[in-house]
Amino acid sequence: MTRRTFLTETAAAVVTFGAAPRFLLRAATAAPPERRRVVVAVFQRGAADGLNIVVPFGDPGYRPARPRIGIAPPARGGGERALDLDGSFGLHPSLAPLAPLYARGELAWVTAVGSPDATRSHFDAQEFMETGTPGVKSTGDGWLNRCLQQARTPAEPSVFRAVALAPLLPRALQGPETALALPSLDAFDIRGAADGPVQRGFEALYRDAVQDFLGGTGRTTLEAVKRLRAARAGARPPEHGAVYPPGRFGEALRQTAQLVKLDVGLEVAFVEVEGWDHHVAEGGARGPLAARLDEFGRALAAFWQDLGERRGDVVVLTMTEFGRTVRENGNAGTDHGHAGTMLVLGGRVRGGRVHGRWPGLAPEQLFEGRDLAVTTDFRDLFAEVAVRHLGVPWTAPLFPGYPVRPERFPGVLPAA
Amino acid sequence: MRPNGRRGGRVQAGVRRAPAGLLLLALGLAACAAPVAPRPPAAASPVPVPRESGLPATGLPERQQARHVLDRLAYGPRPGEAEAVARRGLLAWIDAQLDPSRLDDADVERRLAGLAVPTMTPRELMEAYPLPQAFRQQGRVVPRERSPQALVGELRRARLLRAVYSERQLLEVMVDFWFNHFNVFAGKGTVRYYLPDYERTALRPHALGRFRDLLGAVAHHPAMLYYLDAWLSTAPGPRAGGRRTGLNENYARELLELHTLGVDGGYEQADVVAVARAFTGWTIDHPRPGHPRSGGGFLFDPRAHDAGPKRVLGQEIRAAGVEEGERVLDLLARHPATARHIARKLARRFVGDDPPPGLVDRAAAVFRERDGDIRAVVRAIVLSPEFFAPAAYCAKVRTPLEFVAAALRAVGAETDGGAPIQRTLGLMGEPLYGAQPPTGYADRAEAWTSPGGLLARLNFAQALAAGRLPGSRVALERLAPEDLEASGLADALVEQWLGGDVSAETRAVLREALAQPAVRRATLDDPLPAPDVATVAALVLGSPEFQRK
């Protein structure tokens, strides 16, 4: 369907029914399509071991705490050693595909980032991170939905403004702004022919029959189905030589790149990647975590390659609910800890450096005597991305009970 | 957007060519398309409610009352059921549902006979479905039939089968209500081993019983002790057995906020801490594989208990070991804020997303006067004028479970409740036993009207009607007499599944769809073009009206 027919139809809808949903009213006066800034939030569910992702080889406390799973410091000749980032920190060798992005200054790491809440429960900590309200479970909406509520209203509304490449809408995107959960772009469809009786019947039912929010949702849904069908025709295979690794994460990022390039109005994408809860036999330069990081790094590198000239519009922000214990446990794994490590990737990112104040690994520097302490509240990092990339006003109440203070931003993006 | 409810039935009276009986029933009914505003009885009630029905006269016609009761106290009517219940008398049906143990449920028991998980103990489940780590340590892949998914899958099947086929419909509705009120998550740790026992022994027996008994059964159950970390919570002090010790407030906070007083119930952080301390030592007697006598139940560990003085909501809790927790539960179960909180949630479930305050007040009073007798509170709510008010009719959006069960019941489907239909529930946003937060699944329309969820409903409607949903069969031919013309078919299905309560627009769309040559099928055996029942059925089940109850 073309934009013209969409506008004609929606204008007709407005004429027919006095109270059309807000997005339809906006559509009737829409401006030409615009390239939009996009945030791709990646949630590493299960608490990724930040200390073996960005390895603090310069801290004398690191190796003794991890005799079996520690990563060797960088050295000439490389091999199964950390890849030097700045003389103090090194990248896990499986993340080698991300090294060129760091070298080009597009990728930044933030260490010792996490929640002020001490919970070591996956589900509570994920909840707190996604609502942006540590310690409070009654928060109704997610922080990314609040971003959309508080960012400037786009000139042209889109049902694809916020998309989770997941079967269920994650907590972070829940709230009053419309957000879609798409298990896959291909599966978001009505079965049968586009002009078949069932689809036309549903369209007519939801276009004509109901004028409450259920009807509004129905129109949004069927509109999204139509636009996706039209957009799929213009979908291209991965470009610029990008090769995504097999697996759900690579597939989700491949589809995210499609959505960005199709200009369907995407502003927030949410992708989840599981399998970080390594209590047993985590491995060091090789092993389960290394395999997970290999897929993770290759998928992100392919995504970045695939985006081509759209890289300037996109920021990727990774997050995980908490970090893991400094000391390896009796099963050569790690248990639930406190501060973790996050990645920021973007054309405008102040990359090529490791951000965040390092709290140290000496016993007296650890949180509750065992975990890496938090020196950057995750909300300050999230707020920086929301304000400096999506254009959310810094005065907006992005995190209830925690005003945004630009002076607390870790500095991963340039001001204005 | 509200009232001005479109009224469908009356305007079409002259255009119809369907069987006279169905037509007559569809006359003069209000639309389900949008919430209907209260209106003067004279204009709205062509069929006055006889006083001897024992139900409040609110202007809602008798036949709609029957549908309303079956939509709210049950998972929607089966073919002919609304008429049958109306004939028998609504009050008698409601009172029978309030006393479920006297209702014969042989049909659903027969359907459940092949499912072992719902009857197994935690210890039996741990042995039959070992932790995946146990397989990995032996270098083996977890066999699919012994995976955690297989365990939860059977339990999901049982829940759906009960919703669709049980005669004790109100009990099933209440089990769903209490499961969400006292939610636990199958995906957290070992919760899944305790789930069948939790539903079977803690929730089901007390679902229409006394709130204090229900609260106590939940508080002692390993499913809840594990899910909200109470089993880990100990008095601060020296480490025992190498495990870190200390207070965990998780259960205490949710007990106050969600299970009893409500978030505005007047407690403070100091109360949360005091409650958590009172429950220290309440832990799980962990089943140990290979030890046939080892537990799977509740255990009080006096060494972990904090015996210091405590005050909860201004009341002193005297040092009494395990009894301290019981005193806290007594205090909370009889607190006026709890009566209000539970009354409001029940009124939201049965009457409307924002229940009338007067009804909540009265239901809370019944809760207090009858010492938390859930049956009495439910009866007060469903026999209230607010319940039978025209404004309440079709005012709620069906949850995915309600929608799927209602569709299966409406078409008289034979389903095994298996994986395909469970995946569909997941796509709609309500994978059974899959609510991670302690709030459970929401009971408000906004939660269930997301685009992805609605699309899943439309695709489910289509797959079910077309017979393309593995594990579920419908015999639509039976619903459509051969000599029926297209418009008659649409009207018959609308009548049967929506009580005739659709907007004029929906009815027009259905008729138009049937008028298209594409939906008529002509075969060699059957040279006369006949209406395509599956298409119309898909459209009716996917219609905005069928999403409501």
Side-chain angles (χ1 to χ4, degrees), chain B residues 285-306:
Chain B
D285 182 13
H286 283 282
R288 293 181 297 279
H291 294 71
R293 291 191 176 282
S294 73
F298 173 80
L299 176 78
F300 180 72
D301 177 2
R303 293 166 307 168
H305 184 70
D306 178 343

Side-chain angles (χ1 to χ4, degrees), chain A residues 242-289:
Chain A
V243 180
Y244 289 91
R248 296 223 307 255
F249 183 54
E251 183 55 24
L253 285 181
R254 186 185 68 77
Q255 300 193 13
T256 305
Q258 289 276 1
L259 281 174
V260 171
K261 290 191 277 183
L262 289 170
D263 279 318
V264 287
L266 182 74
E267 288 178 56
V268 171
F270 190 97
V271 175
E272 2 188 60
V273 51
E274 294 178 335
W276 302 97
D277 197 17
H278 296 107
H279 287 280
V280 180
E282 175 174 317
R286 289 187 199 175
L289 176 64

Side-chain angles (χ1 to χ4, degrees), chain B residues 114-117 120 124-132 135 140-155 157 192-193 419:
Chain B
L115 301 180
V117 165
M120 288 165 77
E124 289 167 345
L125 288 166
M126 276 199 164
E127 279 162 17
Y129 299 85
L131 290 168
F135 287 101
R140 292 197 295 150
V141 186
V142 186
R144 178 188 292 234
E145 69 280 2
R146 298 181 74 190
S147 66
Q149 292 77 9
L151 187 168
V152 178
E154 266 204 32
L155 200 55
R157 281 180 67 185
R192 62 180 177 275
Y193 296 121

Side-chain angles (χ1 to χ4, degrees), chain A residues 137 189 206 210-212 217, chain B residues 1 6 250 254 449 542 548:
Chain A
K137 292 187 191 166
D189 207 347
Y206 282 88
V210 198
Q211 30 175 320
D212 61 0
T217 305
Chain B
M1 163 116 210
R6 282 152 194 278
N250 202 357
E254 307 308 357
T449 45
R548 292 187 170 278

Side-chain angles (χ1 to χ4, degrees), chain B residues 145-175:
Chain B
E145 69 280 2
R146 298 181 74 190
S147 66
Q149 292 77 9
L151 187 168
V152 178
E154 266 204 32
L155 200 55
R156 287 175 168 165
R157 281 180 67 185
R159 177 76 91 78
L160 187 67
L161 289 174
R162 285 180 185 276
V164 176
Y165 297 113
S166 175
E167 296 297 329
R168 301 168 182 176
Q169 284 280 296
L170 177 59
L171 176 64
E172 291 310 312
V173 167
M174 292 304 294
V175 167

